[in-house]
Amino acid sequence: MQKIELLASWIKESKRIVFFGGAGTSTESGIPDFRSAAGIYRTRQQFPYAPEEMLSRSFFDHRPEIFYEFYRSKMIYPNARPNPVHLLLARLEREGKLKAVITQNIDGLHQMAGSGHVLELHGSIHRNYCTKCHRYYSLDHILHSKETIPTCEQCGAIIKPDVVLYGENLDEDILGQTIEVISAADLFIVGGTSLTVQPAAHLITYFRDERMAILNTSPTPYDQRASLLITEPMGQVMAEVDKLV
């Protein structure tokens, strides 16, 4: 409880908070993470390929039918709803204290909770585009398409989710904005991420102030940089913090 009280006091004293989150931000909304014991990359799948391979751009290009079977069954959780982490961050933004949410997630739960300034490093399941004419399609279209491989109604080309696959680069504009807001933060909260996926994990090195809190159930390679480490489930932590700020 002492660590939670310290985090709450930092939040009350800060004016330029930035949150950097990974899959652990959404596990308490019912979305599994990737690398924990129960994560997508560790559990047995009904697919003859590794998840990392199926989530690569080359696999999408060459085996789109299997990509979409995996993507629809393991990457999309349309019934998930924001948990206390998302809700507290949205509240702090409304109060003018939180300047940005940086997320590695593609689920859109921060926006559903009410956050406006969300920098999505890895894209979003809610945006989908034709690979040829770039026509936009919603998540609902992908979920309810009768085609195994969704194709464009305008030109017939394959539709691709606006998510960053292995072998693709992060958006340079999003990266630039991320570096800018991290560099200007007076409190940096890092939550629910193993900090092993590059180049996203390296972005936290742009934080130059003293107050960095890492909330993660397992150790990360950047723990020594943090001035506060909390290993309890993040949703429970943020629910307690919400009562104090």
Side-chain angles (χ1 to χ4, degrees):
M1 189 64 183
Q2 187 176 14
K3 289 185 176 181
I4 292 176
E5 290 173 348
L6 179 58
L7 178 58
S9 69
W10 285 358
I11 289 174
K12 286 191 286 188
E13 295 167 4
S14 301
K15 298 179 180 179
R16 300 184 309 281
I17 304 170
V18 172
F19 177 83
F20 180 100
T25 306
S26 296
T27 53
E28 288 165 273
S29 293
I31 301 178
D33 63 12
F34 293 91
R35 292 172 176 79
S36 72
I40 292 173
Y41 288 178
R42 300 290 183 89
T43 56
R44 290 183 62 86
Q45 308 288 344
Q46 68 267 34
F47 300 92
Y49 303 92
E52 296 94 329
E53 183 179 358
M54 289 185 284
L55 292 175
S56 68
R57 180 58 194 256
S58 61
F59 195 90
F60 173 84
D61 289 337
H62 294 98
R63 302 298 303 271
E65 71 286 353
I66 298 178
F67 168 87
Y68 263 110
E69 184 182 357
F70 177 80
Y71 179 76
R72 285 184 173 120
S73 64
K74 301 297 182 182
M75 303 299 293
I76 300 176
Y77 293 82
N79 296 322
R81 294 296 179 266
N83 64 50
V85 181
H86 306 100
L87 296 173
L88 175 59
L89 294 172
R91 175 194 149 194
L92 294 175
E93 181 179 321
R94 289 194 301 271
E95 294 173 353
K97 297 178 72 65
L98 185 137
K99 301 306 178 185
V101 168
I102 303 159
T103 182
Q104 296 172 282
N105 296 341
I106 60 175
D107 52 45
L109 291 182
H110 287 293
Q111 290 92 331
M112 189 182 296
S115 290
H117 192 196
V118 182
L119 298 171
E120 296 173 314
L121 293 174
H122 296 153
S124 173
I125 61 171
H126 296 279
R127 298 186 301 270
N128 305 273
Y129 296 97
C130 171
T131 53
K132 183 177 180 180
C133 71
H134 308 295
R135 181 175 178 176
Y136 166 84
Y137 290 90
S138 67
L139 174 61
D140 188 67
H141 180 88
I142 300 300
L143 287 173
H144 298 101
S145 173
K146 296 180 180 179
E147 300 175 303
T148 302
I149 305 170
T151 56
C152 180
E153 298 171 342
Q154 183 166 290
C155 72
I158 186 172
I159 298 169
K160 179 185 177 294
D162 188 22
V163 299
V164 179
L165 303 176
Y166 289 105
E168 295 183 317
N169 294 324
L170 301 187
D171 184 278
E172 290 294 333
D173 181 56
I174 296 294
L175 282 175
Q177 293 181 58
T178 296
I179 292 170
E180 183 178 345
V181 296
I182 292 176
S183 301
D186 61 0
L187 171 58
F188 192 32
I189 303 173
V190 180
T193 172
S194 62
L195 294 176
T196 57
V197 177
Q198 300 295 353
H202 181 72
L203 291 169
I204 75 168
T205 63
Y206 287 94
F207 181 65
R208 304 301 184 191
D209 215 314
E210 296 180 359
R211 292 179 171 178
M212 179 166 74
I214 294 182
L215 286 64
N216 202 54
T217 54
S218 58
T220 81
Y222 294 88
D223 284 358
Q224 72 279 4
R225 288 178 173 265
S227 42
L228 177 62
L229 293 173
I230 299 178
T231 57
E232 287 76 25
M234 190 164 45
Q236 297 177 26
V237 171
M238 290 305 213
E240 292 299 318
V241 169
D242 194 25
K243 299 174 184 176
L244 300 172
V245 297

